[in-house]
Amino acid sequence: MFNLKFKTVKEFALIFRLKDISDFKPSPEQMQERMNWLAGIASQNKLADKGNTLLPFAANARTIQSNNVITDGAYTEIKEFISGYIVVKADTIDEAVEMAKANPIFDQVGGSIEVREVLQRD
Amino acid sequence: MTAVLCRHFGLVHIEVAEDIASDTFLKASEHWAIHGVPDHPTAWLYTVARNKIKDYFKRKSVFENKVKDALTPNEIEIEKDLEFNNQIIADSQLAMIFAVSSPTNSIEAQISLALQILCGFSVEEIANAFLTNRETIKKRLQRARNNLRNDNFQINGLTETDIKTRLDTVLKTLYLLFNEGYFSRTNSQLIRKELCSEALRLTLVLTESQLTNTPQVNALLALMCFQSSRLDARTGVNGEAILFDKQDKSLWDKTLIDRGNYYLVNACNGKEISKYHLEAGIAYWHTTPIKDNKWENILQLYNRLILIAYSPITALNRVFAFSKVYGNETAITEVEKLTLLESNYYHELLGYLYSSIDINTAIQHYTKAINLTQSKIEQKTLKQEIGRLLEIKK
């Protein structure tokens, strides 16, 4: 009830999207760079949840539509598909954006990162 | 011995157990000085202890029957003879580790208790190890003992569930006990070694029981072995810390490194990867020569470690590894993001990284570190480093 008042640090989900399924499997070097980025955030004690990587392949993903139509694979209506997410701690959304901008995927394969503030429930 | 006696008496009588133990050792030192050490010293000690216990309960029952006029049956069976064989001794120590690792006590209190009860340290010695005075330690121990009593932890009925739920705390206590020695604030090399070897010994006890011989325990033991192998190399004649790069590697203890490898292999029998696994892995790579992507491997392990166990020191150590892979300049940006402005290690690391780039900034950081640290030895080491940098500048 009273914890909300003292909570100044906000949490933001960073949702990763890739353009192509073939970008999903990073090379060892790319993986190392991504890990460095993630560990860098954790090193600042700003990682709230290390999140998950979500498998996008036909065997690992289903999309259920409202008309009960089920399709195999990740949701790709918007072309890009979600490859994973993490949750970070930041004072402002701008700070979270700065963290996201430093992510190596932009140099590696492109894609996008959506930054979304997490609703704090009391 | 206190541990074995407590197993018999219950924790409620911990003071009595300790008195008897120390009386016994006193008697031994008098007796052995005159008559020589007996053939079976352990058996001798426990015979004396057993007699003292009988005396104690005889006196106690006289007191209770006559003075209190109560017919309450003695909860402790005097007749049930104390057994002292190596098996019981190991088990009793194991039980005591679990007893002192009570989550009702603060970490400092747990370590102090472990030192006193399991390692036989005096209040004075514990005070030295923690760089504080006797009074503080006395009070801390008193409070901790009261908590243990209220905790009503049954040493004898240690069930599998008890062991499983407390094992994490136990490992934490042992880990901290070891670190207290390894990164000790005390200057005495002797105390440091003793703390480290006591932690190692107790962890070894855990591997000797099937119930507690888990991958995590083996990982912790491996970590302790690797770290201990460098104990002699990392301290100079005057007690000053010798940085990793400058250590005389011939002083590393090969036997301990081999033991470390052995336990690390054992630790990989399960699926779980604990922070002890990762730290042991890092310590392992430190014992290897610089090739085979040594620092890349260390950095990867630190990356994983920081994700499951954040601490400022881990964050700083990680950037140190990062600097070895990506160079000082890139690392400096990484360090500065940490903004641990009040930490002497933060400034020490920046001083180190800047020393090949910008000597003035390096000196500024080293000076800040000197002001922030309490350790005289560290201040001395840092002042020497500043002196060296000033020489280069000339």
Side-chain angles (χ1 to χ4, degrees):
Chain A
M1 308 291 154
F2 44 81
N3 59 355
L4 205 72
K5 255 188 184 167
F6 302 99
K7 205 160 206 158
T8 50
V9 174
K10 295 172 179 170
E11 290 186 357
F12 298 90
L14 306 192
I15 302 154
F16 308 109
R17 287 200 175 84
L18 292 176
K19 287 181 299 191
D20 198 290
I21 298 268
S22 62
D23 296 337
F24 186 75
K25 260 215 154 351
S27 68
E29 292 74 28
Q30 290 176 335
M31 197 58 221
Q32 173 78 49
E33 282 175 18
R34 291 181 196 181
M35 269 304 281
N36 285 343
W37 173 80
L38 184 61
I41 292 174
S43 295
Q44 300 167 56
N45 204 14
K46 284 178 179 165
L47 191 66
D49 186 334
K50 66 181 165 68
N52 283 296
T53 298
L54 306 174
L55 296 172
F57 308 108
N60 331 101
R62 298 282 183 278
T63 303
I64 297 108
Q65 315 275 4
S66 57
N67 54 2
N68 220 12
V69 172
I70 298 168
T71 49
D72 288 353
Y75 182 71
T76 50
E77 205 69 355
I78 44 168
K79 256 177 100 190
E80 293 181 327
F81 68 95
I82 293 177
S83 61
Y85 68 93
I86 64 167
V87 182
V88 300
K89 293 183 266 188
D91 295 327
T92 62
I93 193 162
D94 293 336
E95 193 191 342
V97 166
E98 285 308 309
M99 290 184 205
K101 271 161 78 176
N103 189 298
I105 60 162
F106 298 117
D107 289 336
Q108 290 174 358
V109 292
S112 70
I113 300 177
E114 189 172 331
V115 180
R116 297 277 293 270
E117 185 172 344
V118 176
L119 171 70
Q120 304 285 345
R121 294 183 195 280
D122 49 346
Chain B
M1 178 176 270
T2 310
V4 179
L5 295 176
C6 269
R7 180 189 172 86
H8 193 71
F9 283 97
L11 268 182
V12 187
H13 298 282
I14 191 166
E15 271 91 6
V16 182
E18 282 179 335
D19 283 350
I20 289 176
S22 61
D23 272 5
T24 306
F25 283 109
L26 185 67
K27 187 157 182 194
S29 63
E30 290 165 353
H31 193 270
W32 296 359
I34 301 164
H35 301 278
V37 179
D39 289 340
H40 303 288
T42 321
W44 190 96
L45 285 170
Y46 283 117
T47 311
V48 174
R50 189 185 300 138
N51 291 336
K52 281 184 182 295
I53 293 165
K54 283 184 176 160
D55 285 351
Y56 168 79
F57 281 112
K58 218 181 279 166
R59 278 201 305 276
K60 196 179 176 224
S61 69
V62 167
F63 170 82
E64 289 194 338
N65 290 336
K66 288 197 173 161
V67 184
K68 288 168 86 185
D69 198 32
L71 262 167
T72 43
N74 216 332
E75 326 100 82
I76 295 137
E77 298 167 47
I78 315 162
E79 288 75 23
K80 196 175 101 191
D81 233 351
L82 272 177
E83 269 181 85
F84 295 105
N85 56 46
N86 284 336
Q87 183 56 41
I88 299 269
I89 292 173
D91 287 353
S92 302
Q93 284 190 335
L94 188 67
M96 281 302 278
I97 302 175
F98 279 85
V100 299
S101 301
S102 163
T104 49
N105 280 324
S106 72
I107 293 294
E108 286 84 7
Q110 288 179 30
I111 299 178
S112 304
L113 268 184
L115 287 175
Q116 190 185 38
I117 299 173
L118 291 160
C119 314
F121 276 45
S122 68
V123 172
E124 189 85 54
E125 285 169 321
I126 301 174
N128 279 338
F130 278 101
L131 282 192
T132 175
N133 56 42
R134 292 173 47 108
E135 271 317 297
T136 313
I137 294 294
K138 259 189 179 166
K139 276 185 204 148
R140 184 188 293 170
L141 287 167
Q142 193 55 47
R143 260 199 309 274
R145 279 154 182 266
N146 288 339
N147 285 344
L148 278 195
R149 252 183 236 107
N150 300 337
D151 204 22
N152 204 15
F153 183 69
Q154 292 298 318
I155 293 187
N156 285 314
L158 208 62
T159 65
E160 214 177 312
T161 332
D162 286 337
I163 290 180
K164 278 189 181 140
T165 48
R166 284 206 179 191
L167 190 56
D168 278 352
T169 324
V170 168
L171 292 187
K172 206 172 187 181
T173 308
L174 293 175
Y175 173 78
L176 291 166
L177 179 61
F178 185 87
N179 281 354
E180 199 55 47
Y182 200 70
F183 304 102
S184 183
R185 286 155 283 181
T186 161
N187 300 349
S188 159
Q189 177 73 350
L190 205 71
I191 294 181
R192 302 179 129 194
K193 271 193 163 172
E194 211 164 326
L195 287 168
C196 289
S197 60
E198 281 299 319
L200 227 155
R201 182 179 67 80
L202 293 171
T203 313
L204 200 59
V205 172
L206 289 175
T207 61
E208 282 159 6
S209 165
Q210 258 199 334
L211 260 183
T212 50
N213 190 19
T214 65
Q216 270 206 55
V217 171
N218 279 278
L220 178 59
L221 192 53
L223 170 65
M224 289 177 177
C225 289
F226 287 134
Q227 303 279 62
S228 300
S229 72
R230 292 193 290 274
L231 266 177
D232 284 323
R234 65 197 281 279
T235 316
V237 269
N238 301 317
E240 75 277 13
I242 298 177
L243 292 176
F244 186 81
D245 290 347
K246 291 177 185 148
Q247 288 173 12
D248 175 1
K249 296 179 179 49
S250 70
L251 289 176
W252 289 1
D253 189 327
K254 299 280 177 305
T255 327
L256 276 169
I257 294 177
D258 287 344
R259 291 316 285 167
N261 288 330
Y262 170 79
Y263 290 115
L264 190 56
V265 170
N266 279 354
C268 298
N269 278 334
K271 272 186 194 162
E272 62 171 342
I273 294 185
S274 64
K275 72 170 199 151
Y276 305 120
H277 283 86
L278 297 171
E279 284 194 47
I282 292 165
Y284 158 76
W285 279 106
H286 276 305
T287 65
T288 63
I290 302 181
K291 55 172 188 185
D292 309 329
N293 297 327
K294 169 177 174 157
W295 285 105
E296 281 85 351
N297 281 299
I298 293 179
L299 176 60
Q300 278 181 29
L301 289 165
Y302 268 122
N303 279 349
R304 295 174 68 179
L305 181 62
I306 198 85
L307 290 183
I308 59 169
Y310 167 83
S311 83
I313 280 295
T314 304
L316 290 168
N317 285 336
R318 178 189 162 268
V319 194
F320 181 76
F322 188 90
S323 76
K324 293 283 180 190
V325 179
Y326 297 100
N328 289 8
E329 230 155 315
T330 332
I332 286 171
T333 354
E334 282 285 303
V335 186
E336 283 170 348
K337 275 190 220 158
L338 304 180
T339 56
L340 298 163
L341 300 173
E342 300 303 312
S343 154
N344 53 307
Y345 298 114
Y346 172 81
H347 291 289
E348 252 171 70
L349 181 55
L350 279 175
Y352 171 83
L353 293 174
Y354 268 114
S355 57
S356 60
I357 294 169
D358 177 352
I359 289 184
N360 285 332
T361 316
I363 292 174
Q364 276 173 23
H365 281 294
Y366 276 139
T367 314
K368 274 185 193 148
I370 291 173
N371 292 333
L372 285 166
T373 180
Q374 304 286 326
S375 157
K376 292 266 179 299
I377 300 169
E378 218 174 290
Q379 289 172 350
K380 206 176 126 193
T381 315
L382 291 172
K383 275 175 191 157
Q384 278 170 359
E385 193 54 28
I386 291 181
R388 194 184 65 86
L389 290 178
L390 287 172
E391 276 303 307
I392 298 172
K393 236 175 100 179
K394 273 180 197 169

